[in-house]
Amino acid sequence: MNRRTALLLAVTCAVAVGNIYFPQAIIPLVAAGLHTSPNAASLAVTATQIGYTAGMFLLVPLGDRLPPRSFLVALLALTGLGLLAAGCAPALPLLIAASALTGLTTVAAQVVGPLAVALVAADRRGAVIGTLLSGSIGGMLLARAFSGSLGEWLGWRAPYLAAAALTLLLASILARTVPIVTPRSRQPYPALLAESLRLLRTEPDLRRSCFYQATVFAGFSAVWTCLALVLTGPLYGMGAQAVGLLALVGGATMLCTPLAGRLVDRHGPDPVNLICMLTVLVSAAVLAAGAWGGVPGLTALVVGTLLLDLAMQSGMVANQARVYALRPDARSRLNTAYMTCAYLGGSAGSWLAVRAYGQVGWWGVCALVALLTALALACHVVELRSRRPAATRSQSQAPAEDQPIRPR
């Protein structure tokens, strides 16, 4: 895979992932524009995440069956139409429905990952995952900043319409530039769906990777879903633009995830997972100080979100490297099981966080993050203690038949 292709696939990840996260920065604007409460407006974010989870389960397995280029173009085109419908929605129920459709189809990043991994040697797998994840992080961060600023200027509909135009433009570019790769599976669609569930049942390393990411991502989603409510509430009194600017602080993670990928290639995913979980616990403690308000509280929010973003994304690199090494012929189906579990966790985290914030405030959200991460950490420690050194398998080693695919 050449550098131009890698860059294009990273941009694809950025646009696809950005479509999930940019509504988080404009929840107060949506609430004001549609004359509803912020809690009700946050359902658009939850609907997008639920739709994304469904899309990963229902659509991503087709990445092992369909030509990747045609599949990516179709997904992006449908996403663009969903964003257009959301930007034109006259009422909250229609916005929620359009958000669910957008989430369902904006799964291009999960199709790109298995494709890119198949195009490189096994000893570069972690680095490639890190590069693609850098694109995803860039899309996530820039989308929040972009939507917050544009929403303050032109209203909440403008970010949806701009995202629709960008997504449709990318679809036209991909239609001409993505290499043609022969799919590895000829199984019918029902068999592909069943295979994802079977892999989850039969692969212990897949199950624990799913659990790690589901719990950590639930905490991550909890923080970012409620952060707009904190910053625009009476404690800070800021605008939606502040949420986007705060998200830009996490740009450092774009530089760190390729490094995390190289560490995974060198030492395996388990040490990286451990460090990431401990960092999330630290971030929860730092974020709790955001309840103080003023400059000290804002400083705590900046530092805490930076640590949280870094830990969550680096842990994603480690978990995906572990998952992709299991079955070279079923990477899309493995990724389906993994990402479905992760985003089910994220959806649950958003739902729980809004209720924790309503009952307890920001302290409750931070306690939720700490509790979820503690569960993952306990599971990881038990796993490390029970594993015999001789049974430890280096993730840098792949089966002899797992060779890079040459695009036609």
Side-chain angles (χ1 to χ4, degrees), residues 145-159:
F146 168 79
S147 65
S149 300
L150 189 62
E152 288 275 6
W153 182 31
L154 296 176
W156 69 268
R157 298 181 188 276

Side-chain angles (χ1 to χ4, degrees), residues 339-400:
M339 293 303 298
T340 299
C341 291
Y343 274 87
L344 280 174
S347 300
S350 296
W351 188 84
L352 290 171
V354 171
R355 279 138 191 84
Y357 184 80
Q359 295 293 324
V360 185
W362 183 243
W363 295 98
V365 176
C366 297
L368 176 64
V369 175
L371 175 61
L372 292 168
T373 309
L375 293 174
L377 182 60
C379 177
H380 191 53
V381 170
V382 170
E383 173 67 25
L384 292 180
R385 288 184 175 179
S386 63
R387 178 174 296 188
R388 294 175 300 175
T392 303
R393 178 182 178 184
S394 172
Q395 297 303 308
S396 64
Q397 295 177 346

